[in-house]
Structures are given as C-alpha cells and as structure tokens.
Amino acid sequence: MPDRGPAAYDWDVSHESEVTGMHGPSSPPPTIVLVHGAFTDASSWAGVVRLLRADGLTVRAPANPLRGLAHDAVVLRGMLRDIDAPVVLAGHDYGGAVITQAAADADNVVALCYVAAFGLDAGECVLDVTNRFAPAPVADATRTAAPPARTPGGPDSELYIREELFPQVYAADLSPAARRRMSVTQRPIACDALTGRSGPPAWASMPSWYAIATADRVLHPAAQRFMAQRMAATEHVLDGSHAVVLSQPGAVAAMIREAAEQAR
C-alpha cells in the first residue's frame, strides 16, 4: 500500500431515492466515511470500499493527517460539513479517536463504527487507554524519529513500528508480501496524537458498533472490549489481527452495512 500522502481516496457512487407506495421517497442511504489509523493510509480500506460500493453505497475514505487529535478532528469535521446526506462514520485504530471527537459537532452523523479502534471518553487520551491494560506487543516494537522536515507548529517527533517487527505485530494474518509492503510504506503518527485529550464523545448520544479483533497485538483485545461495552456498542467479534480491515473486509463491511441499514 503506497503512501499517497494527503490525497484522499474518494469512492462515490450516485443514488436515486426509492419510492415506497403512497408515502413518497424514503430516506436516502447514508454516505459511509472511513477513517484510517496510524501506520497506514486510506488504501487500507480498499476491500471494504469495494464491498460497500457493490451494495450501492456512497463511500469516502479521506486521508487522516495523523498530526494530533484536535487537528485531525477539525479536518474530518470540515469534510463532513460538505456531505449533504446522513453519514455513518467508521474508524480503525487511532481513526476511532478522530471520529469520536469529530462527530460530536456534526449534525449529519447518524452512527459510529469502530474497528479495533479507540473510542475515547471525555478528557481521555490514547495512552490512558493503552496504559490501563497489559502492554500489547507493539509497546516493544516502536521507535520515534524526528520529522524529515520541521514546520511551524508541527510535531517534534513521530512514531513508527520497527520495520522488522511490523509483520508479526500489526498484520500477522496477511500474506508475507502484503506484510512487507505495509512495513516499508507505513505512515508515522505524531507522538502528540497519543496524548491529545478527547472532548465529549459522540458515542454517548448515537448508536455505535464495534468490531473486536481477538488476535490484535497493537490494541489489546481487553481494551477493545472495555471501550465497546462502555459505549454500549453492538459488538462483532472477529478472529483477526490489527489489520482486520484488510484481512477480513467482508466481516467489517457487514458490520458497517448493518449500521447503515439501522440508521436509515
């Protein structure tokens, strides 16, 4: 999966309203917005996108800047304002923290889907969650580095997963070729993104779904269960690694489809 930088992957298909007897048009199907997490890019959703589009849904997968929670939520919120339709937001990994904050002020978001993702509470940060549970293997597999180019207001350091450890830590259930490709094309996350405090959580006031990856070595499955239960989410338990969006796109798409159907 090559790093495509700030460009968004934007998969759209058009829809026409359905007519149901004498009652006029039904509500339009929601637009699905997929937000990726750390160490990858929007192409990680490619299999899920293909399946959702086959169902006739409009799908957007924007680039998540990975620069900091407040900044990334503002970027996503701006995109949501441009969508003239109900929205189902899905986040993977750190993308879950971003959708939790961005959706709180987005009137058109009708449901949230988390895939091995951070669903933070008010005042909480990513490290608060990870430190609450036994360390996941990723804790000993990361390295920090200075950004290749410093910009005013930019991060002082970025976090990577060590290339030689990435395959077994992040994506053990992908093919060897896919694991190698991901390890050398990973997008770093600003270290400040791990300590940014969340605002009031959107999941407190809207229906949520959560796919728990039971073989996850990045975000402890116990942490995932804790967050899913805290938000009273509809749980889908998947036997997959942290890269479950790639290894089990059918199961992830099914959960998002369920959320879209119930929201509609």
Side-chain angles (χ1 to χ4, degrees):
M1 298 183 309
D3 181 359
R4 308 204 182 234
Y9 286 74
D10 206 2
W11 293 276
D12 286 344
V13 292
S14 60
H15 303 278
E16 294 182 1
S17 297
E18 299 174 359
V19 176
T20 55
M22 299 293 292
H23 301 290
S26 67
S27 58
T31 293
I32 312 299
V33 177
L34 308 171
V35 182
H36 68 84
F39 314 118
T40 186
D41 61 22
S43 66
S44 61
W45 291 103
V48 175
V49 168
R50 182 176 62 254
L51 293 169
L52 294 176
R53 286 193 63 191
D55 292 331
L57 291 166
T58 298
V59 185
R60 296 187 179 184
N64 184 358
L66 307 178
R67 299 296 83 187
L69 184 54
H71 172 272
D72 299 342
V74 167
V75 172
L76 177 58
R77 195 175 297 126
M79 176 193 169
L80 296 174
R81 283 196 294 266
D82 292 335
I83 299 176
D84 187 21
V87 171
V88 171
L89 264 181
H92 173 234
D93 181 75
Y94 165 76
V98 177
I99 70 170
T100 297
Q101 179 140 325
D105 296 322
D107 294 337
N108 56 340
V109 177
V110 294
L112 300 170
C113 292
Y114 296 83
V115 184
F118 289 91
L120 302 180
D121 204 348
E124 198 170 54
C125 71
V126 166
L127 290 183
D128 288 338
V129 173
T130 58
N131 291 339
R132 192 174 298 166
F133 299 88
V138 73
D140 296 322
T142 56
R143 66 177 179 87
T144 57
R150 296 292 300 276
T151 58
D156 293 326
S157 59
E158 299 176 323
L159 191 70
Y160 293 82
I161 297 177
R162 295 181 186 278
E163 186 177 323
E164 70 277 12
L165 298 176
F166 189 101
Q168 62 265 37
V169 168
Y170 192 100
D173 52 357
L174 296 182
S175 70
R179 295 198 300 262
R180 287 193 298 270
R181 184 168 61 249
M182 291 186 72
S183 68
V184 300
T185 62
Q186 60 178 297
R187 285 187 59 203
I189 185 169
C191 291
D192 290 345
L194 308 181
T195 57
R197 301 286 170 182
S198 183
W203 50 256
S205 59
M206 67 180 63
S208 302
W209 280 255
Y210 199 112
I212 297 169
T214 60
D216 200 323
R217 306 188 75 192
V218 173
L219 178 56
H220 201 294
Q224 297 181 42
R225 293 189 186 94
F226 165 76
M227 289 182 284
Q229 292 171 9
R230 180 171 65 179
M231 65 178 70
T234 300
E235 295 181 20
H236 287 238
V237 179
L238 307 180
D239 183 16
S241 73
H242 195 63
V244 70
V245 292
L246 282 160
S247 63
Q248 296 193 42
V252 173
M255 183 186 74
I256 296 171
R257 189 183 305 116
E258 178 184 304
E261 289 171 352
Q262 293 197 26
R264 188 176 181 184

